[in-house]
Amino acid sequence: MLHSPQIVFTVKKVTEFNLIYNHINTQSIDRPDVLTGIGDDCAILNIPEGYSLAVSMDTLVCGVHFPENASAYSIGYKALAVNLSDLASAGAIPAWITLSLTMPDADKFWLNDFLEGLFALAKKHDVQLIGGDTTTGPLSISIQAHGFVKKALLRSNAKVDDLIFVSGYLGDAALGFKAYNEIPTILDGCKARFDQPEPRVGLGLKLTRIASSCIDISDGLISDLGHICEQSKCGAEVNLSKIPLSEEYLSYFTKNDLYKQALTFGDDYELCFTVAADLESEVLKLSKSLSLPITCIGKITDSEGIQFFDENNKTILFKQKGYEHFNES
Ligand code: ADP
Ligand code: MG
């Protein structure tokens, strides 16, 4: 890259390297499969014998993916969580990340809080930061996550009559987001479901044995189950009364608006997956062993698209599908 005049080049570079070596390169994790990490032109890595490498990237932009007043800690945590969630939906074991960080100025206090959040989640999953890029500009964070997988879960392998399951509760992230504007008194637990979602890594890993397809719910169930249907060339029937909603969610949303947020807001980072009907008991066992609610919400059909039914077996149509960038409506 061309830098001019010369004096600006020198000052900027010192700040950039100071941030990289005194702040970013401070992670306690030191994996043996990282031969060279931060500090050289490339990271040099070992992939274990018999595994494929699963790679995923997600970007968080200020004002689009998180509000301007989100804490640096939660931005760091979430930037990693959304990427680990993609690895989880493939059934991969997380290993390494690279980080492209664009910040308006070299604010080391902000950076330290951001890294504290990021490294806290990284520690839980033994994930090492192995490189990246640091630039100046409007706040934006891209992370590329790398994991190992023997037999990856895909979106494309659901079969007719498979049962459809979701982990956890849907819509709590939508409720948590409201803490930023409409309902500041919202319970901390719900705010955290938006700010610090829990990537379902342990579940994804176990599902490689039993699930036929899997996706993480980042854009809302309608959109994400829709991807499974499109890519598996099938349809789905979903029973609305089976959609798992938390007590907090039920206490805030009215009957008329009950399912819209849970099905279209996204950001829950739960897993939606399909399993052959004769393996249903395996899912129940998994739910118990992970202490994680897992709910059967419907089944795969040979039609097109998703049909929702209410408790009276009446078909319900949703106009809004889910979050989509560049979509004006
Ligand atoms: P280069 O000019 O060769 O691309 P840089 O000067 O940008 O290298 O970066 C120096 C080292 O610091 C590299 O190993 C790079 O991967 C690492 N690095 C830079 N920014 C980050 C970041 N935000 N997170 C992690 N590592 C980073
Ligand atoms: Mg270089």
Side-chain angles (χ1 to χ4, degrees), residues 213-231:
S213 73
C214 186
I215 192 166
D216 65 322
I217 304 179
S218 52
D219 299 322
L221 182 77
I222 297 182
S223 174
D224 292 318
L225 177 57
H227 293 313
I228 287 188
C229 291
E230 282 153 26
Q231 299 204 20

Side-chain angles (χ1 to χ4, degrees), residues 58-60 66 75 79 99-101 110 114 139-143:
D58 257 327
T59 298
L60 263 57
F66 55 86
I75 297 168
L99 166 68
S100 172
L101 181 58
W110 184 94
F114 168 87
L139 184 61
S140 157
I141 301 110
S142 293
I143 289 184

